[in-house]
Amino acid sequence: AARPFEQVPGERRGGWLNLYHFWQEGGLHNVHNIMARKFQRFGPIYREKLGVYESINIISPRDAATLFRSEGMMPERFSVPPWVAYRDYRNKPYGVLLKTGEAWRSDRLTLNKEVLSPRVVEGFVPLLSEVGEDFVRRARAQVQKSGRERWTADFSHELFRFALESVCHVLYGERLGLLQDFVDPEAQHFIDAVTLMFHTTSPMLYLPPALLRGLNARTWRDHVHAWDAIFTQADKCIQNVYRDLRLQRKGSREYGGILSSLLLQDKLPLDDIKASVTEMMAGGVDTTSVTLQWAMFELARSPGTQEQLRAEVLAAKRQAAGDRVKMLKSTPLLKAAIKETLRLHPVAVTLQRYTVQEVVLQDYRIPPKTLVQVGLYAMGRDPEVFPKPEQFSPERWLLPGSKHFKGLSFGFGPRQCLGRRIAELEMQLFLMHILENFKIETKRAVEVGTKFDLILLPDKPIYLTLRPL
Ligand code: HEM
Ligand code: 2DC
């Protein structure tokens, strides 16, 4: 018989004392390294109590498989307390991100049809490809302007705008024009608000919502302002589409974007549509842009791999006569390169689920309603799971053999990332266009680490050079 829950290794200190030590040790921006160290100290399973939240942490793909296979029809993850507190404070409805139970499931099924299903996803390709082409055009203009046949910069702000432009094009069927020289200050304000929202979440991550709402601390006020700005700007975009639709300004035959489809379908109440579309607009900025920054950094550091990818893309282009949908079907190495980027640089430090029944992990009996976290960052760098983990090698994803529960960057199952297909296509098409047009270079010696700001980010600016081929 499996061992009892009480025997799972870990620190026995009280939750508040742990939280205090965590703060003191500068844990706030270091969650990923602290976790990796705890797996080294305690082995592949350990328990932890931070504040009021107790969790079991696992690292092996086999345990992840056990956890996800028992998750049921309405999986629940750790519900980020300040995000819940904001919505309750302002009386805003939850979208799929924070809903639970049947309410989550019915919204999610309706959204899946318009955001994830293969039928509609193919229609995103021209929309996202167009934004990628505009990025190339802008980069060429910057090269011209420099007078030095290259463009060297920290691309993070360019990529934030690229990402918002991309997600808005598929959500609203409209261009914001963020890749022009003049950038709408409202759009820039939105981008800054999302970054601030993430940044102010992490210090409050382990405090209960009820406590937060009563708090008048600086971080909470900044957090509220950030969400206010996000909701206000998203609302403007949503209202525009809504009005155009009522006035029948759009041709009814062309694809008008995800929001139009949801409105025309009339299956979800307007408030629920708004809530989830707002979450997608906010969720679509930092996630893909940071991943693309890492991808370009890794490709700059591995010129051989970069050449292989370029060769694959150019061959696919010749074969498909430029048809992007076809090209995407014959670029496995490009897709693997994105998986490999997310292995080393995941957006989410962990995946989490509340167990619904007893599960056995590492031979310990874990009772129902326990919060279990899969240490995604630690798993990606564990030599037992990925041989020579420090090496960026996309081919590892193409080798025959077990990739079983290893590619978990977007989560798993019915609760996985709603924006997954948008994100993948956006990133694949962006890299295609860049590889077709530029060499990506960087100063070889620079090491860049990772910092936790709710999502994982580079700990210093990454300078890259684009050089026309
Ligand atoms: C949830 C990763 C981009 C919207 C998630 C989760 C992960 C994740 C790990 C939790 C999944 C789980 O618990 O199993 C990523 C990564 C991205 C990305 C790595 C890009 C590199 C996006 C984009 C959007 C988005 C572009 C919006 C279009 C969401 C939403 C949820 C979610 C709404 C919550 C879904 C639910 O609870 O039903 N994402 N994401 N994400 N993501 Fe993403
Ligand atoms: C943060 O301990 C660390 O995709 C916590 O697009 C556990 C946790 C819970 C939920 C995770 C979060 C972490 C990181 C950011 C994630 C989030 C679920 C969705 C969100 C992974 C790992 C993200 C970035 C969404 C955000 C949408 C939002 C802006 C409306």
Side-chain angles (χ1 to χ4, degrees):
R3 292 173 283 190
F5 182 57
E6 287 67 36
Q7 287 177 14
V8 174
E11 269 153 2
R12 305 272 139 192
R13 279 199 302 230
W16 295 107
L17 191 60
N18 266 346
L19 196 57
Y20 174 73
H21 281 273
F22 178 80
W23 266 82
Q24 250 198 346
E25 290 159 21
L28 207 52
H29 295 294
N30 218 12
V31 172
H32 52 298
N33 285 320
I34 292 176
M35 273 194 97
R37 245 180 280 138
K38 292 209 164 158
F39 282 119
Q40 276 170 9
R41 176 160 161 224
F42 294 118
I45 187 166
Y46 70 86
R47 75 161 79 217
E48 181 166 62
K49 190 165 184 190
L50 285 175
V52 287
Y53 301 102
E54 176 150 28
S55 70
I56 293 296
N57 297 273
I58 55 175
I59 190 173
S60 92
R62 275 200 55 197
D63 290 333
T66 309
L67 179 68
F68 287 123
R69 278 183 178 142
S70 71
E71 70 176 4
M73 302 253 287
M74 292 170 266
E76 281 179 29
R77 73 171 78 84
F78 179 66
S79 193
V80 175
W83 297 356
V84 175
Y86 170 81
R87 282 150 180 84
D88 295 352
Y89 177 65
R90 286 284 193 240
N91 239 317
K92 299 249 186 219
Y94 299 174
V96 270
L97 178 71
L98 299 173
K99 279 195 181 184
T100 55
E102 293 291 352
W104 168 79
R105 180 144 176 104
S106 66
D107 280 23
R108 178 72 203 226
L109 289 176
T110 307
L111 287 165
N112 282 351
K113 290 195 196 98
E114 298 304 330
V115 184
L116 274 179
S117 81
R119 175 180 60 86
V120 295
V121 158
E122 209 155 272
F124 298 161
V125 172
L127 301 178
L128 295 168
S129 187
E130 189 185 300
V131 184
E133 279 163 36
D134 282 359
F135 189 93
V136 167
R137 210 164 296 135
R138 173 165 176 77
R140 288 202 177 274
Q142 296 290 346
V143 171
Q144 279 286 315
K145 230 165 64 182
S146 80
R148 300 155 102 187
E149 262 137 81
R150 61 176 190 261
W151 182 26
T152 301
D154 164 9
F155 288 116
S156 55
H157 294 285
E158 300 284 341
L159 288 168
F160 281 150
R161 289 190 291 246
F162 164 79
L164 182 58
E165 185 81 28
S166 296
V167 76
C168 287
H169 202 191
V170 294
L171 283 176
Y172 308 126
E174 274 164 20
R175 294 296 301 266
L176 302 180
L178 301 179
L179 302 177
Q180 317 270 306
D181 283 329
F182 172 78
V183 177
D184 176 9
E186 287 194 344
Q188 190 58 50
H189 189 52
F190 181 86
I191 293 174
D192 297 339
V194 178
T195 306
L196 182 65
M197 181 278 290
F198 282 128
H199 178 73
T200 51
T201 302
S202 46
M204 305 186 290
L205 192 52
Y206 305 110
L207 304 175
L211 196 150
L212 287 170
R213 250 175 298 144
L215 221 64
N216 196 25
R218 173 75 193 271
T219 310
W220 168 245
R221 289 201 315 266
D222 287 350
H223 192 68
V224 169
H225 286 146
W227 276 121
D228 284 346
I230 291 170
F231 275 91
T232 306
Q233 190 59 26
D235 219 60
K236 282 188 195 162
C237 296
I238 295 169
Q239 286 307 331
N240 271 338
V241 172
Y242 188 73
R243 192 182 14 144
D244 285 357
L245 213 60
R246 271 208 328 210
L247 300 174
Q248 298 192 309
R249 281 207 197 132
K250 281 232 174 74
S252 50
R253 272 168 61 256
E254 60 183 313
Y255 178 65
I258 293 167
L259 175 59
S260 284
S261 302
L262 288 169
L263 291 170
L264 287 169
Q265 250 200 18
D266 207 23
K267 275 209 194 122
L268 281 185
L270 185 58
D271 279 339
D272 292 315
I273 296 181
K274 276 189 181 175
S276 285
V277 167
T278 303
E279 287 170 359
M280 284 193 272
M281 184 172 166
V285 183
D286 300 43
T287 46
T288 52
S289 59
V290 166
T291 308
L292 284 174
Q293 235 191 314
W294 284 120
M296 290 204 281
F297 182 60
E298 293 293 354
L299 292 176
R301 289 199 298 181
S302 326
T305 305
Q306 184 180 153
E307 265 324 305
Q308 272 181 291
L309 286 194
R310 184 170 293 112
E312 183 189 73
V313 168
L314 292 176
K317 194 177 183 183
R318 254 177 274 120
Q319 246 183 7
D323 178 337
R324 296 285 152 183
V325 175
K326 271 194 197 151
M327 279 177 79
L328 287 165
K329 287 177 181 148
S330 49
T331 44
L333 195 62
L334 178 69
K335 291 175 185 166
I338 292 169
K339 275 195 169 179
E340 182 69 346
T341 302
L342 284 166
R343 172 181 72 80
L344 284 165
H345 312 287
V347 169
V349 63
T350 65
L351 304 174
Q352 329 80 40
R353 289 295 183 265
Y354 287 94
T355 52
V356 283
Q357 60 195 55
E358 184 180 278
V359 289
V360 176
L361 301 170
Q362 297 290 323
D363 206 33
Y364 293 102
R365 292 209 304 274
I366 312 297
K369 301 201 169 85
T370 308
L371 178 62
V372 180
Q373 305 206 72
V374 180
L376 204 57
Y377 176 91
M379 185 199 284
R381 289 163 188 254
D382 182 353
E384 306 235 339
V385 183
F386 299 99
K388 300 206 180 146
E390 69 291 347
Q391 280 185 14
F392 179 80
S393 90
E395 309 91 76
R396 73 169 85 233
W397 296 98
L398 304 178
L399 293 174
S402 169
K403 293 187 279 287
H404 204 58
F405 286 89
K406 291 184 183 175
L408 291 172
S409 313
F410 290 96
F412 179 85
R415 191 114 212 190
Q416 69 178 280
C417 177
L418 177 63
R420 176 177 191 157
R421 291 279 116 85
I422 297 173
E424 286 174 342
L425 286 176
E426 175 187 321
M427 296 191 291
Q428 288 158 9
L429 288 160
F430 176 90
L431 290 175
M432 259 187 191
H433 286 298
I434 291 296
L435 288 164
E436 283 171 28
N437 288 281
F438 304 100
K439 242 193 187 105
I440 313 163
E441 299 169 354
T442 188
K443 290 218 182 71
R444 259 174 162 262
V446 182
E447 269 308 315
V448 180
T450 300
K451 127 178 140 190
F452 175 82
D453 228 359
L454 196 79
I455 61 171
L456 295 172
L457 299 174
D459 68 354
K460 53 175 82 66
I462 296 179
Y463 288 91
L464 294 166
T465 298
L466 294 181
R467 193 187 293 278
L469 287 171

